[in-house]
Amino acid sequence: MGRKAGKPRDDWLERGPPPISAPLLGNCLPRLGEKSGGCWAPSMEGAAAGTAMRTGAGTLPITGENGGGETRPRERKVYMDYNATTPLEPEVVQAVTEAMREAWGNPSSAYPAGRKAKDMINVARENLAKMVGGKPQDIIFTSGGTEANNLVIHSTVKLFQESQRSEGDWPAEQQASGAKPHFITCTVEHDSIRLPLEQLVKEGVAEVTFVPVSKLSGQAEADDVLAAVRPTTCLVTIMLANNETGVIMPVSEISRRIKALNQKRVASGLPGVRVHTDAAQALGKRRVDVQELGVDYLTIVGHKFYGPRIGALYVRGLDVGTPLRPMLFGGGQEWNFRPGTENTPMIAGLGKAAELVNKNCDIYEAHMKKIRDYLEERLQAVFEKKGIHLNSLFPGSDRLPNTCNFSISGPYLQGRAVLAHCRTLLASVGAACHSDQGDLPSPILLSCGIPPDVAQNALRLSVGRSTTKEEVDLAVEDLRQAVTQLERSSAS
């Protein structure tokens, strides 16, 4: 039975998932209170047998060592790190479980369990295509966003090398010079874009231009991207929304101008430049349409929109309009572009998560924006005298409806220190992929022009589909107490 669209349903931190055998799902359910790489992740631990059984606000039944039903108070936790990961919707858990029980067969087999698996995969592919405004035949399932991003990057290298070996595809001077493929990206990309590109440069395989984002808009400006194009440029990859600031990048404008530029390139004998966007943070928070964006490739990440930790890649006119080359070779699944027996349960869950986005995205977006705005109002009211800087606000730039990045002024109020003194709030100082930075300021915020002393104090709060105002009040009060405690400790 599906829940009513738009009804708040986010007490999963305290009541746990629907009743289900945990071993069936493996590690697809997040665990509450685990701290990985300095960033908190959500969890279902401590939710007795997956049922609520709550005895009062912030109180859960705790089983004693003797197995008895001892009840003692437990502090309520408020999760605000939805940009890092999201819990599975109950409907997604149900879809995964059904696939495990009824579609265990090999999707390439003709017997009933295999056909059931193939049907589930096809339905999921259709739901993902609808979510991004594409066609089912242009969707390839991957293990996650990192694989999808790497698939685009390494395909581009292979395609460039193939074209270099083909006579007439490049001007003679380019063939003779031993040219390398050139990529354009920006300085605030996710590590699954930045690191593979840096590795290609290190290996001498490719050249990369990292376009700085504007300190006025927080965006990779289209003018700067176009100015970086060279004769050997093959791919422009710009994220759709930044995971720390929430700023929406002008991907549609970049694609439109690249398309116009490609007409001139073809006339001069140069191959066209393709455009990729990592849409991990945008999906499920705002409408995403590949036709409006005009991109050739788009990365989909399930665990950012209440689905399992797998992903997909959209390719416009797969291998007809837009070519792709596999990184793996095997049994020929996914039209040979991503071989390996399909992970039917996770794909079914991903498809269900996409279906929910298709039905409810506008409701999700409106709710998150309302709660985010209330959060920022409360933060400003509580910390106005002390000094607070909203790092997500850039005049004229749109941003995700759920993301609030801010800094509280004070010499001892570094983001990690504040979080360490919080007893209720579960959040992060920024992207988990930058957790190895220690107490250093976020390189993303520094790239956006945030001063180092302000960036060092930054916290990123990202609300969910049914985060409540009550939870906002609890989180802000927790922050106030943490700040007070830190200041008293420093004074003594």
Side-chain angles (χ1 to χ4, degrees):
M1 178 72 70
R3 66 183 176 87
K4 184 178 179 182
K7 181 180 178 182
R9 187 222 48 79
D10 205 14
D11 55 342
W12 59 275
L13 280 167
E14 300 202 22
R15 63 159 172 73
I20 182 173
S21 175
L24 281 176
L25 292 180
N27 65 354
C28 69
L29 289 176
R31 297 174 59 80
L32 174 60
E34 286 189 344
K35 200 174 185 182
S36 174
C39 295
W40 285 101
S43 135
M44 304 303 181
E45 189 173 294
T51 56
M53 296 180 62
R54 290 187 51 189
T55 59
T59 303
L60 288 169
I62 308 299
T63 302
E65 293 181 0
N66 60 1
E70 173 193 357
T71 298
R72 66 174 182 267
R74 169 179 286 181
E75 285 188 272
R76 181 173 180 177
K77 301 298 182 183
V78 175
Y79 181 71
M80 289 191 177
D81 205 16
Y82 289 89
N83 282 7
T85 198
T86 56
L88 298 181
E89 287 279 12
E91 296 93 331
V92 173
V93 174
Q94 183 178 351
V96 171
T97 307
E98 179 184 353
M100 286 180 168
R101 290 172 176 164
E102 301 180 15
W104 50 266
N106 191 314
S108 300
S109 301
Y111 42 76
R115 291 199 301 270
K116 177 73 170 177
K118 178 61 75 174
D119 290 343
M120 284 187 169
I121 291 171
N122 288 338
V123 169
R125 203 184 306 275
E126 290 172 0
N127 284 331
L128 260 70
K130 182 178 179 181
M131 180 175 68
V132 299
K135 299 177 181 179
Q137 60 267 31
D138 293 339
I139 299 290
I140 296 174
F141 293 108
T142 66
S143 63
T146 294
E147 181 188 341
N149 288 342
N150 275 262
L151 181 55
V152 173
I153 290 170
H154 289 285
S155 286
T156 299
V157 173
K158 291 180 180 179
L159 290 164
F160 180 90
Q161 293 170 344
E162 290 172 6
S163 68
Q164 283 283 81
R165 292 191 293 266
S166 300
E167 294 184 4
D169 283 358
W170 289 86
E173 61 270 19
Q174 293 293 337
Q175 295 186 36
S177 65
K180 301 172 185 176
H182 176 241
F183 294 80
I184 299 174
T185 188
C186 70
T187 54
V188 298
E189 288 292 321
H190 189 269
D191 279 1
S192 60
I193 291 291
R194 179 180 64 84
L195 292 178
L197 291 177
E198 288 180 349
Q199 183 63 29
L200 290 175
V201 172
K202 182 178 179 180
E203 295 173 357
V205 174
E207 297 175 329
V208 181
T209 297
F210 289 90
V211 174
V213 295
S214 167
K215 291 177 172 54
L216 297 177
S217 67
Q219 297 176 326
E221 301 284 1
D223 285 345
D224 296 332
V225 171
L226 269 291
V229 174
R230 306 175 186 174
T232 54
T233 301
C234 300
L235 183 74
V236 171
T237 173
I238 302 292
M239 62 184 3
L240 186 51
N242 185 262
N243 46 326
E244 292 195 27
T245 64
V247 169
I248 307 299
M249 299 294 176
V251 174
S252 296
E253 181 185 359
I254 291 170
S255 296
R256 177 177 54 80
R257 294 181 61 178
I258 289 292
K259 184 177 180 180
L261 177 65
N262 282 340
Q263 295 178 348
K264 300 178 182 179
R265 286 173 67 91
V266 171
S268 62
L270 292 172
V273 178
R274 297 184 179 89
V275 180
H276 165 253
T277 190
D278 181 347
Q281 289 297 337
L283 289 166
K285 300 167 188 169
R286 56 182 284 145
R287 292 288 178 184
V288 174
D289 189 324
V290 293
Q291 308 308 324
E292 293 179 3
L293 293 174
V295 295
D296 301 292
Y297 310 96
L298 181 140
T299 293
I300 299 167
V301 181
H303 75 100
K304 303 296 188 180
F305 56 96
Y306 293 71
R309 287 175 183 161
I310 65 167
L313 177 67
Y314 162 82
V315 184
R316 182 184 297 276
L318 178 58
D319 216 38
V320 178
T322 304
L324 194 71
R325 296 293 181 267
M327 291 194 298
L328 306 174
F329 298 87
Q333 293 86 354
E334 297 298 291
W335 302 288
N336 279 316
F337 293 114
R338 209 289 182 176
T341 304
E342 299 92 335
N343 189 346
T344 306
M346 295 299 107
I347 290 174
L350 183 65
K352 176 58 68 171
E355 179 185 338
L356 293 173
V357 170
N358 293 334
K359 292 179 180 178
N360 305 316
C361 189
D362 293 341
I363 296 172
Y364 298 154
E365 181 178 5
H367 175 79
M368 287 186 283
K369 185 180 185 302
K370 179 179 70 174
I371 296 298
R372 191 273 316 277
D373 290 349
Y374 178 72
L375 169 63
E376 293 183 345
E377 290 171 7
R378 295 300 305 137
L379 288 170
Q380 289 177 304
V382 170
F383 296 108
E384 180 180 12
K385 292 182 179 180
K386 180 169 298 300
I388 183 172
H389 186 270
L390 296 180
N391 304 319
S392 301
L393 294 181
F394 293 89
S397 294
D398 195 7
R399 58 175 172 149
L400 294 174
N402 78 318
T403 305
C404 169
N405 195 305
F406 67 98
S407 299
I408 303 169
S409 301
Y412 300 99
L413 302 181
Q414 289 82 11
R416 294 182 188 278
V418 172
L419 279 183
H421 284 75
C422 286
R423 304 183 66 176
T424 298
L425 176 63
L426 304 179
S428 67
V429 297
C433 57
H434 291 145
S435 60
D436 61 352
Q437 296 290 325
D439 290 329
L440 295 176
S442 162
I444 301 298
L445 296 183
L446 295 178
S447 295
C448 294
I450 304 299
D453 59 327
V454 176
Q456 194 169 29
N457 286 15
L459 292 169
R460 180 191 69 181
L461 304 188
S462 47
V463 303
R465 293 175 179 176
S466 42
T467 304
T468 65
K469 288 186 176 181
E470 177 194 8
E471 289 175 321
V472 168
D473 291 338
L474 287 171
V476 173
E477 173 60 20
D478 194 32
L479 285 167
R480 187 194 66 78
Q481 292 183 17
V483 167
T484 299
Q485 184 178 356
L486 277 169
E487 290 182 328
R488 287 175 179 171
S489 298
S490 64
S492 61

